[in-house]
Amino acid sequence: MAESAESSKDYFVTTVNEDHATICWGCGLRLLLPTHAPVFKCGWCGAITSQNVNKTETKCLWGRRLQDRCFVTILSIFMLFLICGGVWAVHWFVFSVSYTFGIFHYILTAILAATTVSTFSLSAFRCAGTPPTLLWGSYPVVGKGDLENYTFCHYCVKPKSPRAHHCRSCGTCVLDMDHHCPFIGNCVGAANHRHFIAFLFSAVFSTIYISFISAYAGLHIWPPVKYRSLGHLNGSGRDLAIRAFKEVMLALVSSAVQLSARGLILVYLFVSSVSLQIGLSVLLWQQLCYIYEGKTYLSHLSSQGSGGDHIEEKGCQNIFRFFGCPYSIFRYLPTLRNSPKRHTK
């Protein structure tokens, strides 16, 4: 009976095609792949390997870095002009109002300037975020699940964590990369994201104060506006409004020609600060929305491309956690949700 049972078993011997076998870059184990599998995941270390690697050549790194440094230099000169030009343009005015107002102006200007320049320097010259260094490539060294969902960066020739992204402008992988900002000449990542947000806050507050003080001082030195025929305009409706607008603009331009160099600088400070204030406010609001959703700009794009399968937890706790507060401030506030209701007789 035993011999007949053993003889009834079927044994199959097959050959393995070399095209269907590959070596995992994470642990070095030889793996068998399904037919035409472009991407596979190692069952031991968890590393993900893509068979279709399209490593395209990019521009020289030195050219990109030179371009970024030019942007940083131009922005630094512009900030120094706003600070020094603003101080010189309104120096006479702030002390003419009162001595206390002049001292307050200079203290506030020094605080805003120091905060803006320091946060800009930390954002521009600090490393954006280096991914953790792990051992890889050998089975005895790599344990089970040590490289879970890691991919291989063919530019850096090392493992890339799921939270990292390779920046071709910087030539390195950045942890929790949000975007590459040419104006700071650096990536915005895990190590300098807080400094970048602090720089946006400081720059927005600074531009608000510059626009206010330049407009307030400019109104006191603006030459008197003389209208030629504003009181003799005839017509009605749209034509009258267009004529009145042209007359007002012509009067403003004719009076602006009589402005001194100090007045022209005040006008430029007001226009540039208002335009910067609008752009930086939009960028700051966008960044805070991503932080509230628990995402970065790149993760937001990837979630849109994947159809939003991975949903992050939204809430103010993400903002508090981003700025270094592990617990939400609402934990320390009295909760009214579970409090007993009081009925008045």
Side-chain angles (χ1 to χ4, degrees):
M1 295 292 292
E3 293 179 358
S4 61
E6 291 178 0
S7 61
S8 63
K9 294 181 178 179
D10 296 330
Y11 295 92
F12 297 95
V13 178
T14 183
T15 59
V16 177
N17 191 353
E18 291 295 332
D19 295 336
H20 299 164
T22 187
I23 297 177
C24 175
W25 64 265
C27 57
L29 295 178
R30 190 177 182 83
L31 303 176
L32 299 180
L33 303 180
T35 307
H36 306 295
V39 179
F40 70 92
K41 183 176 182 180
C42 179
W44 173 255
C45 65
I48 299 175
T49 302
S50 176
Q51 297 291 92
N52 301 327
V53 179
N54 296 323
K55 183 180 178 181
T56 58
E57 294 293 334
T58 59
K59 295 193 303 181
C60 297
L61 288 178
W62 66 268
R64 292 177 177 268
R65 291 175 180 174
L66 179 62
Q67 181 181 0
D68 290 340
R69 295 311 171 193
C70 290
F71 274 116
V72 172
T73 303
I74 293 173
L75 186 58
S76 302
I77 295 174
F78 179 73
M79 287 192 301
L80 290 177
F81 172 75
L82 287 181
I83 296 172
C84 299
V87 170
W88 174 79
V90 301
H91 171 76
W92 64 273
F93 171 74
V94 293
F95 282 100
S96 65
V97 175
S98 67
Y99 184 79
T100 304
F101 181 71
I103 297 298
F104 171 78
H105 164 73
Y106 275 102
I107 292 176
L108 184 59
T109 302
I111 293 175
L112 292 176
T115 305
T116 305
V117 173
S118 61
T119 52
F120 172 78
S121 301
L122 290 173
S123 303
F125 302 108
R126 184 173 183 177
C127 178
T130 304
T133 303
L134 299 175
L135 298 176
W136 61 282
S138 178
Y139 164 70
V141 176
V142 180
K144 185 173 179 61
D146 287 350
L147 299 175
E148 187 69 25
N149 294 329
Y150 272 67
T151 56
F152 188 77
C153 181
H154 293 271
Y155 296 94
C156 300
V157 196
K158 64 180 181 180
K160 182 176 67 174
S161 68
R163 297 169 50 195
H165 183 82
H166 183 83
C167 177
R168 297 184 183 181
S169 297
C170 297
T172 183
C173 289
V174 179
L175 186 63
D176 287 340
M177 178 178 173
D178 186 83
H179 68 285
H180 181 85
C181 182
F183 296 102
I184 65 173
N186 196 7
C187 287
V188 178
N192 65 344
H193 202 171
R194 296 181 188 175
H195 304 298
F196 182 73
I197 298 297
F199 165 68
L200 292 180
F201 271 112
S202 179
V204 168
F205 290 143
S206 299
T207 52
I208 291 175
Y209 182 71
I210 291 174
S211 60
F212 168 75
I213 196 67
S214 59
Y216 190 48
L219 290 176
H220 286 75
I221 66 171
W222 195 276
V225 180
K226 298 179 181 180
Y227 302 101
R228 297 179 181 179
S229 59
L230 187 61
H232 303 284
L233 293 177
N234 298 322
S236 61
R238 183 178 179 181
D239 294 337
L240 179 61
I242 293 176
R243 293 177 186 175
F245 178 76
K246 290 182 179 180
E247 183 66 25
V248 171
M249 293 302 298
L250 183 61
L252 289 175
V253 170
S254 60
S255 62
V257 175
Q258 305 175 7
L259 283 173
S260 60
R262 194 186 300 269
L264 293 176
I265 291 179
L266 288 175
V267 172
Y268 177 77
L269 288 176
F270 176 78
V271 174
S272 60
S273 60
V274 170
S275 58
L276 276 177
Q277 176 185 337
I278 295 173
L280 293 176
S281 299
V282 172
L283 179 59
L284 179 60
W285 176 255
Q286 183 188 48
Q287 288 286 311
L288 292 178
C289 289
Y290 290 147
I291 296 173
Y292 176 83
E293 295 176 357
K295 299 178 181 179
T296 60
Y297 176 68
L298 290 180
S299 64
H300 172 72
L301 294 180
S302 62
S303 63
Q304 284 186 338
S306 61
D309 297 334
H310 184 67
I311 301 176
E312 300 287 347
E313 182 183 358
K314 300 180 181 179
C316 294
Q317 67 274 5
N318 294 328
I319 298 179
F320 290 112
R321 193 181 299 114
F322 175 82
F323 288 104
C325 301
Y327 301 102
S328 175
I329 193 174
F330 297 106
R331 292 189 55 181
Y332 304 101
L333 298 178
T335 57
L336 302 178
R337 185 179 302 172
N338 300 325
S339 59
K341 297 181 179 181
R342 297 180 180 180
H343 300 277
T344 57
K345 297 181 179 180

